[in-house]
Amino acid sequence: MKFKFGLLPRIVLAIVLGVLIGSFAPENMVRVFATFTSIFGNFLNFVVPLIILGFIAPGIAKLGKGSGKLLGVSTLVAYSSTVVAGVFAFVAAMIVLPGFMEGREISGLDDPENALAETFITLEMTPLFGVMAALILAFLLGIGMAATGSKTMISFFDEFQVIIEKTISVVIIPLLPFYIFGIFANMAYGGAVMEILSLFGIVFVLIIILHALMLLLQYSSAGALVKRNPFRMLKTMMPAYFTALGTQSSAATIPVTLRQARKTGADERIADFSVPLFATIHLSGSTITLVSCAIGVLFLTGQTPEFSSFLPFILMLGVTMIAAPGVPGGAVMAAIGLLQTMLGFDETMVALMIALYMAQDSFGTAANVTGDGALTNIVDRFTNGRKV
């Protein structure tokens, strides 16, 4: 049997090696790592607007196809769940994290050049257009394609999305461990690594607890509506949870999610429509992870997160992550632009965010697909008109 060294072990190894090597390596060696992370970070900034355009435009166009009421109710339920999860994560993180993060701020992170090793060269990669321009263009084209049913444009964007997904899965994801290694080596060189590692542990535990509480909320709501035992329904969906934990992909888990959602008692026709749709538009687990990690990084840099800033961020997350690809890390890749424009994340903060998110990506995906079973039953209740 061939052993597969997955992404999560590679990220953990990258963090460990980065801390060890960065603590003892000479400056010139750390500058080599810093140069790679700088070049890769610039490439990531170049690709982000293309990711937004490639994900959102075809995603919105495909939402225009479907059966009226069922599509509308499914989309509303999924979006509401995602937003509630984000607000829930914000409140919980603001209650829990300040006590743990007091005195652990790293002021140098808001100006990396003062605390970290310099690069040997700087390779500029100017994006073709900005993040907001990409969002506006994606909405404009997506809604236009849905309204006109333009087969040529939809076909083009389907192929464009495949190219972007390939870029993520073949270039960005394989290089991420090296990127994270370079960041942590540089952090260790600058003496900031212990605070970062402590943040990882605290946020990891918080996120797992929040995922569990969100699933209980989803299934309690579904159980109350359809008059079924929510704990039994949740137990039925556990095969989907563990499948997603291994694949790190909502799309790859669809067959298992669909089978288990039917077993919870949802109408087969409703499940056949809703489960594949939820795999692309329902991201409550990923939203909890993103919001919690973002708040942790802000505290680490000595900033105080404000709900007035995070609410628009959460509302946009629910849209921006639509049709995030079935590859590990799709959600955080789609969210990078929002982190930069709405929360003011710089390159180093984005790198920390990616490292934090990727280390917990499989748990967020598992929470997403498990929650799909509850949402399918809720949609069934409101669209199928069944007496309960």
Side-chain angles (χ1 to χ4, degrees), residues 43-376:
F43 174 72
L44 202 57
N45 288 334
F46 176 83
V47 174
V48 163
L50 302 180
I51 291 175
I52 291 172
L53 184 61
F55 288 1
I56 298 179
I60 292 176
K62 290 171 185 175
L63 287 181
K65 304 174 184 177
S67 51
K69 181 182 178 182
L70 180 57
L71 175 65
V73 172
S74 298
T75 303
L76 178 61
V77 168
Y79 184 74
S80 299
S81 176
T82 299
V83 171
V84 168
V87 174
F88 177 44
F90 178 87
V91 173
M94 290 300 293
I95 293 173
V96 173
L97 291 182
F100 287 99
M101 297 306 299
E102 187 176 354
R104 298 175 187 264
E105 297 87 357
I106 306 173
S107 59
L109 284 183
D110 57 9
D111 188 7
E113 294 183 1
N114 291 340
L116 309 180
E118 295 181 357
T119 63
F120 283 112
I121 60 171
T122 300
L123 187 60
E124 294 293 338
M125 302 182 196
T126 305
L128 296 177
F129 38 77
V131 169
M132 286 308 300
L135 281 169
I136 295 170
L137 184 60
F139 279 115
L140 179 64
L141 294 176
I143 293 170
M145 288 186 287
T148 62
S150 173
K151 295 181 180 179
T152 302
M153 287 287 289
I154 291 174
S155 177
F156 168 81
F157 273 98
D158 281 342
E159 294 183 14
F160 181 62
Q161 186 176 23
V162 170
I163 293 172
I164 296 300
E165 289 179 358
K166 283 289 184 183
T167 302
I168 292 174
S169 61
V170 177
V171 180
I172 294 177
I173 295 298
L175 290 178
L176 268 181
F178 297 98
Y179 181 53
I180 292 170
F181 165 81
I183 289 293
F184 274 83
N186 212 343
M187 294 292 181
Y189 173 79
V193 75
M194 292 312 298
E195 289 84 354
I196 296 169
L197 291 179
S198 66
L199 170 67
F200 268 53
I202 295 164
V203 172
F204 184 87
V205 173
L206 174 64
I207 286 171
I208 298 302
I209 294 173
L210 292 180
H211 284 167
L213 292 175
M214 188 64 195
L215 287 173
L216 287 174
L217 175 61
Q218 290 169 334
Y219 278 90
S220 296
S221 302
L225 285 170
V226 300
K227 307 296 188 192
R228 297 194 191 98
N229 187 322
F231 298 101
R232 188 172 298 167
M233 294 170 68
L234 183 56
K235 181 181 178 181
T236 302
M237 291 300 299
M238 282 298 99
Y241 182 91
F242 288 107
T243 301
L245 207 59
T247 63
Q248 293 183 258
S249 169
S250 298
T253 312
I254 286 176
V256 179
T257 309
L258 184 58
R259 182 189 67 200
Q260 299 308 122
R262 290 170 178 171
K263 289 183 179 180
T264 63
D267 183 89
E268 185 173 324
R269 294 168 301 168
I270 301 298
D272 288 349
F273 178 88
S274 295
V275 168
L277 179 65
F278 287 150
T280 60
I281 68 172
H282 177 231
L283 296 124
S284 57
S286 297
T287 301
I288 286 173
T289 305
L290 285 166
V291 171
S292 302
C293 292
I295 291 174
V297 171
L298 287 171
F299 276 130
L300 197 64
T301 57
Q303 302 178 56
T304 302
E306 298 288 344
F307 185 70
S308 58
S309 300
F310 263 82
L311 182 58
F313 172 71
I314 292 167
L315 294 174
M316 286 301 298
L317 268 183
V319 178
T320 305
M321 293 189 297
I322 286 177
V327 296
V332 72
M333 292 300 146
I336 288 175
L338 298 182
L339 291 168
Q340 294 172 326
T341 58
M342 302 186 77
L343 298 183
F345 274 43
D346 60 25
E347 180 183 331
T348 305
M349 294 168 72
V350 167
L352 283 176
M353 185 71 188
I354 292 173
L356 269 170
Y357 182 89
M358 294 300 292
Q360 301 165 84
D361 182 33
S362 57
F363 293 95
T365 302
N368 292 340
V369 302
T370 306
D372 292 349
L375 269 59
T376 298

